[in-house]
């Protein structure tokens, strides 16, 4: 037994010695060289590209994406009516331009929009790395701070949704890039940074109106960096060092504001104090704050709406506790950090106020604040604030707190905390992907593309797409002719057809019928019904019709091939091709009244009309063979 004990002790001693040697090697190579720090950061960016790429490639076109595509096919690419359009309060000509080019390259194909999202996210990640390098230098903690931006769930929702990503990702990239240019201008005085910063601001404004915040964030970063470095009058110093950039951005904002006010006609709504408090609670306690710990971990969704965060109560409490502890420790242990916290809070608050002014209303649920789309760009400001807190010098006398901070500042502790946070972020990414992939409109679009390509022989009457794809509030862009207009491999959409077909709720092209609201009255002429001579005539209905878009069935016998004009009251008449002999025509007409007006357009054309239904189209169950 004694020999065994000696052997065990020897093995333990060898293990301890090996561990000590490993720690010694780590300490001898610490801190890592700038090349190692940069390489680690680039590896993290590549990892983010893989994670986010997997997420977005599993997605599909959704809601506003289809509106962008529909407008792209309906209007000239560089026309003012296409680019300068008030899209639900957004002014985004560059986003429309990207959507138009993408639609030209691959209409209704998800691969190209997904590629644009991945490219924009990569651009934003590199811009954030650049500004963090300027704030922190090659400190070993830089990759940890960068990882918080790269993997935070705060930026997930707008990244996965193409239309939202075309707003949010250029803004994120611009916030980081212009702040970096402002720091470089302050350090070097080279005016080229004023030029590039102004140009990037212009580009960002063309994608998203919220980019008006870009120069203000850049100014704040320069002023805060000067303050934590101990510069007297940091605001004045920031103004003087970056004056060419601030003046250039000011001129840009002035010109942009004039165009914006001329284009956008959305009304702002000021919520009641109780409503505002609920929006802040949902957006902050259930949105931004849990995301700081990698939350929310869970997502809820009411199709066809997007997912929103539903963090567990324990995570919310823990996140607030960590934020409170971080505030206390940095104020106690770091010099001149109070305004950094004020700036971070102010940016999140500005995002939530903008959301309330533009999106609150009697039909708006508070969960919209938990969708994280309206605060996603706060991720850039939060990591910049964290970098500035790290940059701030320690207070010379930490008292009893000093010894407690020693373990916290060691590389193993920082690495362990970063790994835990990234793991938490990745779990939220997985649960978001599961929710986002449950997109009921994706199957409809795929089935409709295939079905339309297989049956191009008969024109289709227009119809709204599935409610799970676009709701009627998106009219007229929820019509099949708008959504599928960019496709070349499809039947024509027309106001009349000789065979009634429709897309069912699954996207299959099926035979259809007209559910009658009224009938055309059977005429009294034997063997003809109602005779329509060259001068035309009115065909009475069995009762009046309210103003709507109706479908009429014309059971006719035509003397020759030609065209007739069919109208309902004051609505615009529709030209309908007819063939000689006994046939049917299905006509989509808009109007109100008690009679159809039928006028031959072709000289010498006469018609005999029988009774037929006038009503709405109902898809059948029989697929087109």
């Amino acid at each position: 037994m004694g020999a065994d004990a000696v052997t065990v002790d020897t093995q333990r001693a060898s293990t301890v010695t090996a561990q000590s040697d490993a720690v010694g090697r780590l300490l001898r190579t610490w801190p890592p060289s700038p090349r190692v720090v940069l390489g680690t950061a680039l590896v993290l960016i590549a990892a983010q590209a893989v994670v986010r790429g997997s997420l977005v490639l599993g997605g599909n076109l959704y809601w506003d994406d289809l509106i962008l595509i529909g407008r792209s096919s309906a209007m000239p690419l560089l026309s003012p009516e296409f680019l300068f359009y008030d899209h639900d309060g957004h002014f985004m000509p560059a986003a429309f331009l990207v959507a138009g080019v993408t639609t030209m390259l691959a209409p209704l194909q998800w691969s190209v929009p997904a590629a644009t999202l991945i490219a924009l996210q990569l651009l934003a990640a590199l811009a954030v790395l650049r500004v963090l390098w300027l704030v922190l230098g090659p400190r070993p903690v830089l990759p940890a701070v960068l990882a918080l931006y790269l993997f935070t769930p705060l930026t997930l929702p707008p990244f996965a949704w193409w239309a939202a990503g075309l707003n949010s990702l250029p803004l994120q990239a611009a916030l980081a890039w212009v702040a970096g240019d402002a720091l470089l201008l302050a350090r070097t005085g080279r005016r080229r940074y004023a030029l590039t910063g102004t140009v990037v601001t212009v580009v960002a404004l063309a994608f998203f109106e919220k980019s008006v915040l870009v120069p203000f964030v850049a100014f704040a970063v320069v002023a805060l960096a000067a303050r934590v470095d101990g510069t007297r009058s940091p605001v004045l110093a920031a103004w003087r060092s970056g004056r060419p950039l601030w003046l250039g951005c000011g001129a840009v904002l002035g010109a942009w504001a004039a165009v914006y006010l001329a284009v956008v006609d959305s009304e702002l709504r000021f919520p009641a104090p109780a409503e505002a408090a609920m929006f802040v609670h949902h957006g902050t306690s259930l949105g931004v704050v849990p995301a700081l710990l990698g939350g929310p971990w869970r997502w809820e969704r009411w199709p066809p709406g997007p997912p929103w965060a539903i963090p567990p109560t324990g995570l919310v409490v823990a996140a607030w506790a960590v934020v409170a502890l971080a505030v206390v420790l940095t104020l106690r242990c770091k010099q001149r950090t109070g305004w950094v916290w004020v700036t971070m809070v102010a940016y999140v608050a500005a995002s939530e106020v903008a959301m309330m002014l533009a999106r609150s209303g009697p039909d708006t649920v508070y969960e919209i604040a938990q969708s994280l789309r309206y605060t996603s760009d706060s991720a850039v400001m939060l990591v910049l604030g964290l970098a500035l807190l790290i940059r701030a010098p320690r207070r010379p006398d930490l008292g009893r707190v000093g010894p407690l901070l020693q373990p916290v500042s060691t590389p193993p502790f920082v690495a362990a905390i970063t790994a835990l946070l990234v793991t938490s972020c990745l779990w939220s990414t997985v649960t978001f992907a599961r929710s986002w992939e449950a997109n009921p409109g994706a199957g409809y679009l795929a089935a409709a593309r295939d079905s339309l390509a297989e049956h191009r022989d008969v024109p289709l009457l227009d119809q709204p797409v599935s409610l799970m794809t676009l709701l009627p509030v998106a009219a007229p862009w929820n019509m099949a002719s708008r959504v599928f207009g960019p496709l070349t491999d499809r039947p024509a959409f027309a106001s009349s057809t000789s065979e009634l077909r429709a897309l069912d709720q699954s996207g299959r092209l099926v035979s259809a019928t007209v559910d009658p609201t009224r009938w055309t009255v059977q005429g009294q002429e034997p063997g003809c019904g109602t005779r329509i001579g060259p001068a035309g005539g009115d065909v009475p209905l069995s009762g009046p019709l309210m103003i709507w878009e109706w479908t009429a069935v014309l059971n006719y016998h035509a003397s020759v091939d030609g065209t007739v004009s069919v109208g309902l009251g004051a609505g615009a008449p529709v030209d309908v091709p007819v063939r000689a002999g006994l046939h049917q025509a299905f006509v989509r007409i808009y109007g109100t009244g008690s009679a159809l007006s039928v006028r031959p357009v072709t000289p010498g054309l006469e018609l005999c009309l029988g009774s037929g239904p006038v009503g709405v189209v109902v898809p059948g169950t029989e697929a087109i063979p």
Side-chain angles (χ1 to χ4, degrees):
M1 292 295 294
D4 291 342
V6 170
T7 301
V8 171
D9 290 342
T10 302
Q11 292 174 344
R12 289 175 177 174
S14 299
T15 301
V16 171
T17 301
Q19 292 174 345
S20 299
D21 291 343
V23 173
R25 288 194 298 272
L26 175 63
L27 293 176
R28 285 193 297 272
T29 58
W30 196 267
S33 66
R35 181 176 296 180
V36 171
V37 174
L38 179 60
T40 304
L42 293 175
V43 168
L44 288 172
I45 291 176
Q48 187 218 30
V50 172
V51 172
R52 292 290 175 92
S54 300
L55 167 66
V56 77
L57 290 174
N60 210 307
L61 297 167
Y62 171 73
W63 200 264
D64 290 64
D65 301 350
L66 300 173
I67 298 175
L68 267 60
I69 290 172
R71 296 189 74 253
S72 299
S73 65
M75 302 175 185
L77 181 63
L78 299 179
S79 62
E81 60 267 28
F82 176 61
L83 298 177
F84 299 102
Y85 172 71
D86 179 0
H87 179 62
D88 198 18
H90 293 309
F91 179 57
M92 42 191 277
F96 281 128
L97 182 61
V98 172
V101 172
T102 302
T103 301
M104 291 173 58
L105 295 174
L108 281 178
Q109 297 294 324
W110 176 239
S111 56
V112 178
T116 62
L117 290 171
I118 295 171
L120 288 171
Q121 181 63 82
L122 180 61
L123 181 64
L126 292 172
V128 171
L129 169 59
R130 174 179 180 255
V131 72
L132 289 179
W133 191 275
L134 292 171
V135 174
L136 293 174
R139 301 188 190 192
V141 75
L142 184 147
V145 179
L146 177 65
L148 299 182
Y149 167 75
L150 295 176
F151 299 104
T152 177
L154 195 58
T155 59
L156 275 176
F159 170 76
W161 184 354
W162 187 41
L166 290 177
N167 291 154
S168 179
L169 292 171
L171 170 58
Q172 293 175 39
L175 287 169
W177 188 271
V178 178
D181 276 353
L183 288 170
L184 287 170
L185 178 61
R187 293 178 187 178
T188 67
R190 295 175 183 170
R191 289 180 175 263
R192 66 185 179 92
Y193 295 117
L195 176 62
T196 55
T198 303
V199 170
V200 170
T201 301
V202 171
V203 174
L205 285 168
F207 277 97
F208 192 19
E209 68 277 357
K210 194 177 178 181
S211 298
V212 295
L213 297 176
V214 166
F216 298 99
V217 169
F219 185 91
V221 170
V222 175
L224 291 172
R227 177 167 176 75
V228 299
D229 290 345
T231 302
R232 291 185 177 182
S233 303
V235 173
L236 182 59
W239 167 256
R240 289 174 175 172
S241 63
R243 184 180 300 169
L245 176 58
W246 315 137
L247 293 177
C249 288
V252 166
L253 289 180
W256 173 88
V259 178
Y260 177 82
L261 294 175
V263 170
V264 176
D265 190 27
S266 296
E267 294 183 2
L268 301 180
R269 181 182 183 274
F270 296 87
E275 289 181 275
M278 289 299 294
F279 272 113
V280 170
H281 168 68
H282 283 259
T284 306
S285 291
L286 303 180
V288 174
V289 172
L292 300 178
L293 293 189
W297 300 346
R298 298 185 304 182
W299 307 82
E300 183 61 87
R301 188 175 190 181
W302 295 339
W308 70 84
I310 49 169
T313 303
L315 176 61
V316 175
V317 173
W320 272 116
V322 169
V323 170
L325 180 62
V327 172
V328 171
L329 286 179
T330 52
L331 292 178
R332 172 67 180 86
C333 303
K334 292 278 193 171
Q335 301 181 50
R336 301 178 291 274
T337 55
W339 281 105
V340 177
W341 283 108
V342 170
T343 303
M344 288 192 286
V345 171
Y347 192 93
V348 174
S351 297
E352 293 182 349
V353 168
M355 172 192 66
M356 287 186 281
L357 293 177
R359 293 291 177 260
S360 63
D363 299 322
T364 303
V365 295
Y366 297 121
E367 283 78 8
I368 192 174
Q370 294 166 238
S371 67
L372 305 184
R373 298 197 314 274
Y374 303 99
T375 51
S376 62
D377 46 282
S378 300
V380 177
M381 188 66 245
L382 293 174
V383 296
L384 282 174
L386 177 59
L388 289 166
L389 293 173
I390 294 171
R391 174 177 173 144
R394 285 192 176 187
R395 296 186 183 277
D397 182 17
L398 297 180
R400 296 178 181 179
V401 180
L404 298 176
L405 293 179
Q406 290 300 326
V408 176
S409 59
T410 60
F413 183 86
V414 173
I417 292 298
T418 303
L420 285 174
L421 287 175
V422 170
T423 301
S424 176
C425 292
L426 292 177
W427 177 244
S428 292
T429 302
V430 170
T431 55
F432 177 84
R434 291 173 181 171
S435 178
W436 184 248
E437 287 173 1
N439 180 5
Y444 175 87
L445 291 174
R449 279 198 307 267
D450 294 341
S451 191
L452 292 174
E454 292 174 6
H455 305 95
R456 295 169 292 173
D457 53 328
V458 176
L460 292 180
L461 298 184
D462 207 357
Q463 67 176 91
V465 297
S466 161
L467 293 178
M468 292 292 103
T469 303
L470 273 177
L471 290 175
V473 295
W477 306 107
N478 68 320
M479 301 302 291
S481 62
R482 303 289 191 177
V483 173
F484 301 110
L487 297 176
T488 56
D489 198 13
R490 62 169 176 80
F493 287 97
S495 55
S496 66
T497 183
S498 59
E499 183 178 337
L500 191 58
R501 299 173 176 179
L503 294 167
D504 66 12
Q505 291 301 302
S506 69
R508 294 183 312 153
L509 194 62
V510 297
S511 58
T513 58
V514 174
D515 185 19
T517 301
R518 297 285 186 263
W519 291 78
T520 52
V521 175
Q522 178 67 34
Q524 300 302 312
E525 183 175 332
C528 182
T530 300
R531 181 175 295 277
I532 303 296
D538 292 337
V539 182
L541 298 174
S542 58
L545 287 172
M546 62 179 289
I547 189 165
W548 192 250
E549 195 164 45
W550 303 101
T551 298
V553 179
L554 300 183
N555 296 307
Y556 71 89
H557 183 282
S559 59
V560 295
D561 291 349
T563 302
V564 297
S565 175
V566 180
L568 177 60
V574 173
D575 286 343
V576 181
V578 295
R579 293 177 294 162
L582 184 63
H583 299 284
Q584 271 189 328
F586 302 87
V587 188
R588 179 68 55 83
I589 47 178
Y590 180 82
T592 179
S594 300
L596 293 183
S597 170
V598 182
R599 301 282 186 272
V601 176
T602 303
L605 173 63
E606 293 187 9
L607 291 177
C608 288
L609 290 177
S611 178
V614 181
V616 294
V617 175
V618 178
T621 58
E622 183 181 348
I624 304 299

